[in-house]
């Protein structure tokens, strides 16, 4: 067969799906129909800069859907700014779909992924988020998408709606509701799942009125527990605008090129310690942006709303990795190098009142400065927010399953333990490509393959019928799935940290010294 004839044959067999806005032509990859770069909203530029997402306009004919859409502007972390600039364009709000059976009547469960990235980076086109294996082996339709991050998505700007990144996520879920049946999915069996800031976004979506009815189940992995008060978020915007000698308004900031504006956020982040007395814990952890508890888009913190029963009808999995902070320690050079003074400062800033440093030392009498430093950072930012999310869901009359990833990553000589981000390649089964695959060392081991199969099976079973394969969590037994070489179920594995944080309220983070 000639090259031309081969190309013609492939084009003829390419799957075509008609969405509400128009037809899209995808590709077939290892038995899965794949559609990339399908717009779910208009580009948020020009007159739509800093606006809530607007429904995408219809198009004529068949739109090619074989390449990821351009990512939104990114912070300069892990080279993500360069990656985003290498794929120019302003059609930031696009979705990608993997379907093992794109027939309109297939009625498959749907899993919608929300990537993390500290609310400053994140793009759905990264190879670690390829949904092909999860869709093919799990019998589910997988959806990923872009949402605005950094100043574009989460800065509190006068004249603009708050939490534009969360509003983008709602728009993507509305697109799923309206279109996923054409891709073989069941709009009544949608599960959202996300990690880190994506886990924090899942927690926010659980309690947002705008997201009500758009998903039935949720998986919150390593929930980033930072939610800003409007005052704190607005003060960060003032600092960003000052870098440009502008006012912190939508009108002024819209005059700045999006790439330059993202770089402005980097400039503020680079000297964030100078605002430590005003911004508190986020400045100490170099976190300039987060979802904002604005009273409208996000009415209150997820823990408060869940405890009041706002999402009791949504089934939940929540969990974390055992050694969440190890990766950050390796990045910033503190891993294995923490001094007693650094440990005491971390305990003083992050441990829950009253008398947090003493209580941590009493609870962990054999812990040295490295362990104390790592534990309190991980507990504050990921571990306890995730566990408390499940506890709040149960308090509100809902159902939750809890897990902990305890398998140590073999990468970097095994020093990272069960670190932040290790769950991502295991959940997707992408063990040889992507940034997070490096955590698995040289080539995936049989242990990694087996554990990935366990986790993928649990997530897809939960998306299919609500049972991940271990008992629901309750306040009596506190049964928790431990994902290790041989997954087990254990009662209350994080009792020490749980008791240290049981009286702490995860409130919206305030602005000090007003």
């Amino acid at each position: 067969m000639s090259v031309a004839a081969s190309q013609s044959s492939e084009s003829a067999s390419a799957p075509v799906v008609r969405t509400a806005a128009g037809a899209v032509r995808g590709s077939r990859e290892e038995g899965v129909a794949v559609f990339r770069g399908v717009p779910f909203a208009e580009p948020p530029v020009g007159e739509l800069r800093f606006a809530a997402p607007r429904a995408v306009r219809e198009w004529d004919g068949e739109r090619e859907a074989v390449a990821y859409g351009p990512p939104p502007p990114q912070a300069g972390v892990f080279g993500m700014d360069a990656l985003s600039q290498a794929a120019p364009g302003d059609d930031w709000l696009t979705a990608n779909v993997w379907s093992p059976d794109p027939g309109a009547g297939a009625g498959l469960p749907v899993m919608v992924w929300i990537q993390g990235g500290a609310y400053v980076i994140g793009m759905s086109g990264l190879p670690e988020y390829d949904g092909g294996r999860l869709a093919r082996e799990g019998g589910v339709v997988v959806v990923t998408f872009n949402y605005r991050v950094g100043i574009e998505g989460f800065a509190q700007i006068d004249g603009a709606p708050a939490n534009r990144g969360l509003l983008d996520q709602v728009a993507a879920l509305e697109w799923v509701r309206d279109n996923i049946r054409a891709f073989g999915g069941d709009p009544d069996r949608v599960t959202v799942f996300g990690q880190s800031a994506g886990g924090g976004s899942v927690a926010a979506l659980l309690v947002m009125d705008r997201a009500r009815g758009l998903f039935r189940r949720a998986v919150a992995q390593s929930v980033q527990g930072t939610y800003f008060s409007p005052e704190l978020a607005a003060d960060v915007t003032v600092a960003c605008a000052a870098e440009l000698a502008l006012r912190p308004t939508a009108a002024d900031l819209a005059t700045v090129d999006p790439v330059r504006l993202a770089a402005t956020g980097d400039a503020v982040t680079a000297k964030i310690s100078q605002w430590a007395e005003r911004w508190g814990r986020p400045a100490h952890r170099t976190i300039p942006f987060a979802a904002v508890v604005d009273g409208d888009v996000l009415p209150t913190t997820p823990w408060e709303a869940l405890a009041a029963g706002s999402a009791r009808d949504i089934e939940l999995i929540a969990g974390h990795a055992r050694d969440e902070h190890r990766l950050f320690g390796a990045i910033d050079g503190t891993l294995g190098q923490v001094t007693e003074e650094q440990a005491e400062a971390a305990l003083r800033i992050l441990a829950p009142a009253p008398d947090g440093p003493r209580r941590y030392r009493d609870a962990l009498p054999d812990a040295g400065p490295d362990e104390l430093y790592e534990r309190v950072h991980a507990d504050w930012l990921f571990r306890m927010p995730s566990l408390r999310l499940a506890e709040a869901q149960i308090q509100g009359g809902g159902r939750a399953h809890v897990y902990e990833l305890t398998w140590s990553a073999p990468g970097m000589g095994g020093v990272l333990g069960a670190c932040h981000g290790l769950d991502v390649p295991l959940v997707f089964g992408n063990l040889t490509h992507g940034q997070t695959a490096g955590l698995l060392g040289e080539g995936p081991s049989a242990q990694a393959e087996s554990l990935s199969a366990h986790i993928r099976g649990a997530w897809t079973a939960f998306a299919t019928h609500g049972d991940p394969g271990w008992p629901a969590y309750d306040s009596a037994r506190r049964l928790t799935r431990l994902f290790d070489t041989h997954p087990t179920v254990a009662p209350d594995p994080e009792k020490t940290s749980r008791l240290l944080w049981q009286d702490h309220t995860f409130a919206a983070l305030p602005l000090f010294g007003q």
Side-chain angles (χ1 to χ4, degrees):
M1 180 182 294
S2 69
V3 172
S6 175
Q7 291 175 339
S8 175
S9 175
E10 289 177 3
S11 176
S13 65
V16 176
V17 163
R18 177 162 295 280
T19 73
V24 291
R25 178 182 291 274
S27 60
R28 292 192 184 277
E29 301 174 11
E30 299 184 66
V32 174
V34 185
F35 303 83
R36 295 184 173 93
V38 182
F40 64 84
E42 285 292 289
V45 296
E47 65 176 14
L48 297 182
R49 186 89 178 272
F50 305 122
R54 181 181 295 177
V56 66
R57 289 173 291 184
E58 295 183 10
W59 60 82
D60 296 325
E62 292 178 358
R63 182 180 180 127
E64 287 292 319
V66 296
Y68 292 110
Q74 305 278 303
V77 181
F78 305 131
M80 297 286 276
D81 53 344
L83 276 178
S84 65
Q85 292 168 41
D90 54 22
D91 204 0
W92 304 335
L93 304 182
T94 59
N96 318 293
V97 182
W98 289 261
S99 177
D101 184 357
L108 299 174
V110 182
M111 299 184 68
V112 181
W113 172 253
I114 305 176
Q115 68 267 358
Y119 299 103
V120 296
I121 58 174
M123 57 182 76
S124 63
L126 294 178
E128 50 261 47
Y129 304 141
D130 185 291
R133 187 175 188 185
L134 192 61
R136 182 174 59 255
E137 298 182 10
V140 297
V141 176
V142 177
V143 179
T144 67
F145 63 90
N146 288 332
Y147 61 94
R148 286 172 282 182
V149 293
I151 296 175
E152 298 286 343
F154 290 96
Q156 187 82 355
I157 301 174
D158 289 344
N163 295 306
R164 295 169 299 283
L166 293 181
L167 293 176
D168 292 345
Q169 295 171 15
V170 171
L173 287 168
E174 290 174 335
W175 181 88
V176 168
R177 176 197 61 197
D178 296 339
N179 294 280
I180 206 63
R181 195 180 300 278
F183 293 88
D186 182 351
D188 295 322
R189 284 199 295 170
V190 173
T191 298
V192 292
F193 66 130
Q195 184 263 354
S196 195
S201 296
V202 168
L205 290 167
L206 282 167
V207 303
M208 288 170 55
D209 289 340
R210 288 170 174 82
R212 197 168 303 281
L214 295 178
F215 57 94
R216 181 176 178 182
R217 300 184 176 103
V219 183
Q221 304 171 208
S222 299
V223 174
Q224 182 172 327
T226 52
Y227 297 84
F228 285 6
S229 66
E231 296 79 15
L232 172 59
D235 207 57
V236 175
T237 306
V238 169
C240 293
E243 287 287 316
L244 299 161
L246 296 174
R247 297 173 301 168
T249 65
D252 274 24
L253 294 177
T255 66
V256 183
D257 178 80
V259 172
R260 184 185 177 202
L261 193 60
T264 301
D266 288 344
V268 170
T269 302
K271 52 187 177 183
I272 197 171
S273 60
Q274 76 180 51
W275 288 284
E277 291 189 6
R278 287 179 65 79
W279 298 351
R281 290 167 168 172
H284 289 284
R285 273 304 303 249
T286 319
I287 300 171
F289 301 104
V292 182
V293 181
D294 66 309
D296 177 20
V297 176
L298 183 56
T300 186
T301 64
W303 305 279
E304 181 180 351
L306 290 183
S310 67
R312 63 167 60 96
D313 57 333
I314 298 176
E315 296 167 311
L316 173 66
I317 292 177
H320 58 82
R322 182 190 59 206
D323 307 307
E324 290 278 5
H325 186 71
R326 291 276 182 92
L327 178 65
F328 301 103
I331 292 170
D332 65 21
T334 60
L335 184 63
Q337 304 296 320
V338 177
T339 66
E340 184 63 47
E341 291 74 21
Q342 288 173 312
E344 182 62 25
L347 290 170
R348 185 177 65 254
I349 294 165
L350 300 176
D355 202 12
R358 180 193 61 78
R359 293 173 61 235
Y360 254 85
R361 292 183 183 278
D362 288 349
L364 300 165
D366 298 325
D370 284 298
E371 183 179 350
L372 289 168
Y373 184 87
E374 290 178 11
R375 176 70 76 91
V376 74
H377 274 278
D379 281 349
W380 173 70
L381 189 53
F382 298 116
R383 285 161 42 99
M384 293 303 103
S386 302
L387 180 59
R388 291 286 292 277
L389 194 76
E391 292 183 333
Q393 175 71 339
I394 295 163
Q395 183 180 344
R399 178 182 177 90
H401 297 261
V402 173
Y403 76 90
E404 181 175 0
L405 177 59
T406 56
W407 182 70
S408 292
M412 292 184 64
V415 298
L416 296 181
C419 66
H420 190 72
L422 179 60
D423 51 333
V424 173
L426 297 174
V427 164
F428 279 90
N430 297 325
L431 306 182
T432 59
H433 53 279
Q435 293 176 328
T436 53
L439 299 172
L440 302 178
E442 293 294 328
S445 66
Q447 286 186 355
E449 285 284 4
S450 176
L451 181 56
S452 175
H454 274 293
I455 295 177
R456 282 183 282 117
W459 268 221
T460 55
F462 179 72
T464 302
H465 48 67
D467 183 1
W470 72 91
Y473 192 85
D474 61 55
S475 58
R477 299 180 299 169
R478 303 185 187 275
L479 296 179
T480 302
R481 169 67 89 190
L482 302 182
F483 283 114
D484 212 318
T485 306
H486 301 289
T488 60
V489 173
D492 206 7
E494 293 297 342
K495 182 178 181 179
T496 299
S497 290
R498 178 179 63 79
L499 292 177
L500 284 168
W501 289 84
Q502 66 179 351
D503 297 322
H504 176 75
T505 298
F506 284 98
L509 294 165
L511 174 66
F512 298 99
Q514 299 180 61

